[in-house]
C-alpha cells in the first residue's frame, strides 16, 4: 500500500470562494496562488504544516548563498506563481520519501519501531482534541482509528507540539529504563510562540515567511526526508551537523510509528527522539520572538536568548512594541543587565519580522500594504505532561509600521495608543477594587476579583476598536489626529464602564470606610475622585467638541 503525501489530499485549505477542501502537498505548493490560506483542526496544526511547506520551498529555491536576498525575494514576489520547474524537480527527486506507508522510509516515522511486548497505543494519543489524559478538548471520544489524511496531519502536529512525560520504551533505545522512556521535553515548537506573516493567498504567505540565504548559507541544513529514517535511539551529532532553519522545521524530537490497517491508522507508538537545546537557537529559528535570559546566561557564562511564548492573558496588539522591535523594559535594572552582559536589548523580534522591515525599507513591499501577523502557542499542563490550551491571535497593520527607520513615528504613536488604553483600563480596575472595599469587601483576588473582571470586560470591547484603528494608521494620515480620536474612544468607553460600576455600588459603599492601613478613606466619592485623577493623568483633558445649536450657532461643549 501507498499513501504519498505529494499526491494524496491531506492538507486543508480555503479556496478563493472561502470553501474548505483538502489538497496534496504538491498542489498546496505549486497551486498556492489559487488558495486563500491553510486551515486545520487547530491553529498549531496550521503553523506546523506551514513549516513543512517552507522546508520544501527553501530546499528548491534557496540554493545560492551568494545571491542578494532582497533581489532574490523580489523576483519571487513579482511572479504570479511560485517557480514550477525547480519545485517539480525537487519534489520528483524526493517523491518516495513522502510516502506515509513506505516500509523502509515512511514519512517522518521510524520503521520497525516497537516495544519489547509489541504494544501499541491508541491513535488518539497524537490527537489533541480527544478526551484521553493529556488531550486538549473533549470534542470526540473513543477514537479507534483515523483516515490516513488526518493521521498525516496529526503526525506533523505531534512532532511539532507533543507534550512531555513518560513515553513508550522501545527496543534499541539505550536510554530506556524499566521499559519506559523518561521525559526529555516538548516537541520542537512547544517551547515557543510561533510567529508567521499571512498574505492575501497561500503563495504570499509562503513568501512572506521565506528569508533567502538563511538556509543556503548552511550547507548541511536539510529536512528529515533528505536524511536516513531515524532509528530508535538518538542520532549521531556528526550526522546532524550544524542545525539550520530547515532542520528545526522538521526536527524529530520524537520517534513515531503509525499502525495502519487497510486505509486507516489504528494505533501509534511515540517515544523520545533527538533532544534540542533551546538555549542555542537564537539566530537560527526564524519564526519566534526572543527574550534575554539572565539565569541561562549565567549558567552558560555567555549571553543567551530564549524563545518567547505567546501570553494567553494579553491580546497581541498589547505587545505591539515587543512584536515589532528590539527592546524590552528600559529601567535602571534592565540597563544594568544589558551593560553586564553587553547585549543591545532584552527582547528581540522574530527574524521574519526583521526581514519584513528590510523589505519595506527597500520598497519591495509598499508602505500602504496591509500585513497580517499570526501568533500561536501551545500551553501545557503540570510538568508539561498534558495539553492545556492553544493560544492564537492575529493582528493586521500597514507595512509602514514595520519600517523602524521611516515609520518610527508611526510605531511610537501606536505604542502610545496601547499605553493609554492599558493605563486607562488599569484605572478602571482600580475603581472596581475601591468600590468593593468601600462596600466592605477585600478587593478580591488579583486574577479573578472585581478589578480583573472590569479590566477584562473593557479590553474585550477595546480589542476590536484598536484593531480597526491600527489599520487606519498610515504615513499619509494625520497620526496625531488619529491618536486624539483613539484617546477619546478610550475615555468614553472607560467612563461608561465606570458609570455602570458606580450604579451597582450598594448604599453602604457611599458611606465608605477607612483603608486597612488607615491611610485614606474609601467611599464611592473617594473612588470616583481617584479614578478621575488617574484618567486625567493618563489621557489628559477631554477634547472640546463643537456642536450646532438649533438656531445654527456653534457652541463648544
Amino acid at each position: 500500500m501507498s499513501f504519498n503525501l505529494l499526491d494524496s489530499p491531506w492538507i486543508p485549505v480555503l479556496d478563493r470562494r472561502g470553501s474548505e477542501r483538502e489538497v496534496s502537498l504538491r498542489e498546496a505548493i505549486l497551486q498556492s496562488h489559487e488558495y486563500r490560506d491553510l486551515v486545520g483542526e487547530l491553529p498549531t496544526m496550521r503553523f506546523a504544516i506551514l513549516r513543512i511547506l517552507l522546508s520544501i520551498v527553501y530546499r528548491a529555491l534557496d540554493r545560492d548563498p551568494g545571491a542578494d536576498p532582497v533581489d532574490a525575494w523580489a523576483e519571487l514576489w513579482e511572479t504570479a506563481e511560485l517557480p514550477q520547474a525547480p519545485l517539480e524537480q525537487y519534489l520528483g527527486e524526493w517523491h518516495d520519501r513522502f510516502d506515509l506507508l513506505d516500509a523502509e522510509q515512511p514519512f517522518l516515522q521510524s520503521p520497525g519501531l516497537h516495544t519489547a511486548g509489541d504494544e501499541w497505543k491508541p491513535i488518539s494519543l497524537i490527537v489533541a482534541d480527544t478526551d484521553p489524559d493529556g488531550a486538549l478538548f473533549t470534542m470526540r471520544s473513543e477514537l479507534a482509528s483515523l483516515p490516513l489524511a488526518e493521521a498525516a496531519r496529526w503526525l506533523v502536529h505531534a512532532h511539532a507540539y507533543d507534550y512531555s512525560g513518560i513515553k513508550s520504551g522501545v527496543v534499541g533505545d539505550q536510554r530506556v529504563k524499566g521499559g519506559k522512556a523518561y521525559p526529555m521535553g516538548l516537541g520542537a515548537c512547544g517551547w515557543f510562540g510561533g510567529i508567521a506573516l499571512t498574505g492575501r493567498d497561500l503563495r504570499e504567505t509562503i513568501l512572506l515567511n521565506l528569508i533567502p540565504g538563511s538556509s543556503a548559507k548552511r550547507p548541511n541544513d536539510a529536512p528529515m526526508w533528505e536524511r536516513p529514517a531515524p532509528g530508535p535511539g538518538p542520532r549521531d551529532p556528526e550526522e546532524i551537523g550544524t542545525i539550520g532553519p530547515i532542520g528545526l522545521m522538521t526536527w524529530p524530537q520524537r520517534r513515531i510509528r503509525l499502525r495502519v490497517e487497510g486505509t486507516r491508522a489504528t494505533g501509534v507508538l511515540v517515544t523520545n527522539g533527538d533532544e534540542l537545546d533551546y538555549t542555542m537557537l537564537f539566530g537560527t529559528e526564524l519564526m519566534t520572538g526572543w527574550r534575554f535570559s539572565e539565569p541561562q546566561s549565567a549558567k552558560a557564562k555567555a549571553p543567551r536568548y530564549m524563545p518567547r511564548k505567546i501570553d494567553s492573558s494579553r491580546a497581541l496588539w498589547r505587545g505591539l512594541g515587543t512584536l515589532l522591535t528590539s527592546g524590552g523594559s528600559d529601567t535602571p535594572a534592565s540597563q544594568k543587565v544589558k551593560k553586564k552582559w553587553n547585549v543591545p536589548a532584552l527582547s528581540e523580534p522574530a527574524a521574519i519580522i526583521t526581514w519584513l522591515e528590510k523589505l519595506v525599507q527597500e520598497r519591495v513591499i509598499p508602505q500602504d500594504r496591509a500585513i497580517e501577523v499570526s501568533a500561536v502557542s501551545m500551553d501545557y499542563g503540570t510538568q508539561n505532561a498534558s495539553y492545556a490550551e492553544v493560544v492564537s491571535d492575529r493582528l493586521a497593520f500597514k507595512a509602514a509600521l514595520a519600517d523602524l527607520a521611516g515609520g518610527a513615528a508611526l510605531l511610537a504613536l501606536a505604542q502610545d495608543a496601547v499605553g493609554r488604553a492599558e493605563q486607562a483600563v488599569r484605572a478602571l480596575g482600580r475603581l472596581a477594587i475601591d468600590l468593593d472595599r468601600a462596600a466592605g469587601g477585600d478587593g478580591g483576588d488579583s486574577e479573578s476579583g472585581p478589578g480583573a473582571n472590569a479590566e477584562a470586560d473593557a479590553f474585550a470591547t477595546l480589542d476590536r476598536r484598536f484593531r480597526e484603528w491600527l489599520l487606519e494608521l498610515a504615513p499619509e494620515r494625520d497620526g496625531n489626529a488619529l491618536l486624539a480620536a483613539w484617546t477619546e474612544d478610550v475615555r468614553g468607553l472607560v467612563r461608561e464602564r465606570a458609570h455602570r460600576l458606580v450604579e451597582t455600588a450598594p448604599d453602604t459603599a457611599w458611606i465608605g470606610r477607612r483603608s486597612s492601613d488607615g491611610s485614606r478613606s474609601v467611599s464611592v466619592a473617594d473612588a470616583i475622585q481617584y479614578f478621575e485623577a488617574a484618567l486625567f493623568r493618563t489621557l489628559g483633558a477631554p477634547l472640546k467638541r463643537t456642536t450646532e445649536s438649533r438656531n445654527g450657532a456653534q457652541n463648544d461643549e
Side-chain angles (χ1 to χ4, degrees):
M1 291 183 61
S2 173
F3 189 84
N4 196 295
L5 302 184
L6 293 183
D7 308 320
S8 300
W10 67 284
I11 297 178
V13 297
L14 285 180
D15 62 23
R16 293 194 176 277
R17 294 175 298 178
S19 299
E20 186 174 330
R21 54 181 292 197
E22 289 184 3
V23 299
S24 68
L25 194 47
R26 174 182 276 108
E27 288 177 295
I29 293 176
L30 298 181
Q31 300 174 27
S32 55
H33 53 285
E34 297 181 4
Y35 306 122
R36 187 182 299 177
D37 200 0
L38 294 171
V39 288
E41 281 80 353
L42 297 174
T44 44
M45 182 178 287
R46 176 188 181 273
F47 185 74
I49 292 176
L50 175 61
R51 286 164 70 87
I52 297 293
L53 301 183
L54 284 169
S55 299
I56 293 172
V57 175
Y58 266 116
R59 291 299 284 168
L61 305 183
D62 186 28
R63 294 289 195 176
D64 185 0
D68 180 271
V70 174
D71 289 345
W73 193 91
E75 184 178 349
L76 293 171
W77 185 251
E78 291 166 3
T79 58
E81 57 188 39
L82 294 177
Q84 304 288 292
L87 285 166
E88 285 278 23
Q89 180 180 349
Y90 179 83
L91 295 177
E93 180 180 358
W94 297 101
H95 179 274
D96 292 346
R97 292 302 305 273
F98 287 88
D99 191 342
L100 196 69
L101 308 182
D102 188 85
E104 297 180 358
Q105 304 275 9
F107 180 74
L108 294 187
Q109 297 171 75
S110 297
L113 198 69
H114 66 283
T115 67
D118 287 329
E119 303 98 346
W120 291 89
K121 296 291 186 181
I123 191 63
S124 56
L125 183 70
I126 61 171
V127 180
D129 61 354
T130 53
D131 67 353
D133 292 341
L136 186 61
F137 303 117
T138 55
M139 296 179 63
R140 49 183 171 175
S141 60
E142 298 181 1
L143 184 63
S145 66
L146 288 176
L148 295 180
E150 187 178 357
R153 296 196 293 272
W154 287 116
L155 171 67
V156 170
H157 187 269
H159 275 293
Y161 288 103
D162 188 41
Y163 51 82
S164 188
I166 295 176
K167 305 296 179 183
S168 298
V170 296
V171 175
D173 184 357
Q174 300 302 316
R175 299 168 295 183
V176 170
K177 296 179 180 179
K180 298 179 180 180
Y182 286 89
M184 60 170 288
L186 304 169
C189 297
W191 289 105
F192 63 76
I195 302 294
L197 301 174
T198 302
R200 295 167 181 165
D201 57 36
L202 182 53
R203 169 192 158 274
E204 287 191 357
T205 295
I206 291 171
L207 291 179
L208 286 170
N209 294 285
L210 188 80
I211 308 177
S214 53
S215 178
K217 293 176 181 178
R218 296 175 169 90
N220 294 325
D221 192 21
M224 279 306 299
W225 52 81
E226 291 189 27
R227 301 184 184 277
R235 290 180 295 168
D236 190 318
E238 292 187 5
E239 176 193 347
I240 299 173
T242 303
I243 301 173
I246 298 177
L248 294 178
M249 289 178 182
T250 58
W251 185 261
Q253 185 84 5
R254 299 286 184 263
R255 300 288 186 263
I256 303 178
R257 181 186 173 197
L258 297 175
R259 180 178 67 185
V260 175
E261 299 179 63
T263 60
R264 300 184 70 85
T266 59
V268 67
L269 278 182
V270 180
T271 191
N272 290 333
D274 297 320
E275 194 166 8
L276 194 58
D277 185 354
Y278 290 91
T279 68
M280 298 296 290
L281 301 187
F282 182 63
T284 304
E285 174 55 57
L286 309 176
M287 303 179 75
T288 188
W290 303 89
R291 58 176 179 81
F292 179 76
S293 172
E294 191 164 20
Q296 292 293 340
S297 300
K299 183 178 178 180
K301 296 182 173 55
R304 291 288 183 266
Y305 285 84
M306 294 292 287
R308 183 185 294 278
K309 296 276 281 188
I310 306 301
D311 187 350
S312 60
S313 66
R314 304 178 75 217
L316 195 57
W317 60 268
R318 293 174 61 192
L320 187 62
T322 302
L323 176 69
L324 296 180
T325 67
S326 302
S329 58
D330 192 17
T331 63
S334 66
Q335 292 172 0
K336 183 178 179 181
V337 172
K338 287 189 285 187
K339 183 177 180 181
K340 174 183 178 181
W341 293 99
N342 192 28
V343 292
L346 298 186
S347 69
E348 293 287 350
I352 59 169
I353 298 294
T354 305
W355 174 244
L356 172 64
E357 176 190 358
K358 187 172 185 62
L359 294 175
V360 177
Q361 290 175 345
E362 297 286 340
R363 299 297 187 263
V364 179
I365 292 181
Q367 289 190 325
D368 61 354
R369 170 68 186 264
I371 296 291
E372 184 179 74
V373 176
S374 64
V376 62
S377 274
M378 180 72 81
D379 283 353
Y380 297 87
T382 304
Q383 297 183 332
N384 291 329
S386 64
Y387 295 123
E389 180 184 11
V390 171
V391 184
S392 177
D393 199 358
R394 293 193 177 200
L395 183 66
F397 52 84
K398 293 296 174 61
L401 209 65
D403 181 1
L404 302 186
L410 282 181
L411 182 57
L413 280 171
Q415 290 180 274
D416 193 357
V418 172
R420 293 185 186 196
E422 291 205 314
Q423 291 182 53
V425 171
R426 195 171 297 122
L428 179 69
R430 184 74 229 180
L431 172 67
I433 291 173
D434 282 347
L435 291 174
D436 182 70
R437 288 175 174 167
D442 60 1
D445 183 81
S446 60
E447 294 184 0
S448 59
N453 292 336
E455 291 183 14
D457 177 60
F459 275 128
T461 304
L462 285 173
D463 185 85
R464 178 182 59 82
R465 296 187 187 182
F466 183 85
R467 294 171 193 272
E468 294 172 350
W469 179 87
L470 188 62
L471 273 173
E472 296 180 27
L473 197 59
E476 66 274 11
R477 299 292 300 274
D478 184 341
N480 290 324
L482 287 172
L483 180 60
W486 168 251
T487 301
E488 295 312 304
D489 275 352
V490 172
R491 191 194 314 274
L493 180 136
V494 169
R495 274 189 166 161
E496 179 202 4
R497 295 297 195 278
H499 180 68
R500 292 183 192 174
L501 290 173
V502 171
E503 277 190 327
T504 59
D507 292 343
T508 54
W510 289 90
I511 300 172
R513 62 192 180 98
R514 301 295 296 180
S515 60
S516 57
D517 60 4
S519 62
R520 64 187 179 99
S521 64
V522 184
S523 68
V524 171
D526 295 320
I528 293 173
Q529 182 180 355
Y530 300 141
F531 167 73
E532 288 293 345
L535 207 60
F536 181 82
R537 288 193 301 270
T538 298
L539 305 181
L543 292 179
K544 288 185 177 181
R545 295 179 298 167
T546 300
T547 61
E548 189 171 297
S549 65
R550 291 181 180 179
N551 61 11
Q554 288 190 337
N555 302 307
D556 286 337
E557 289 185 342

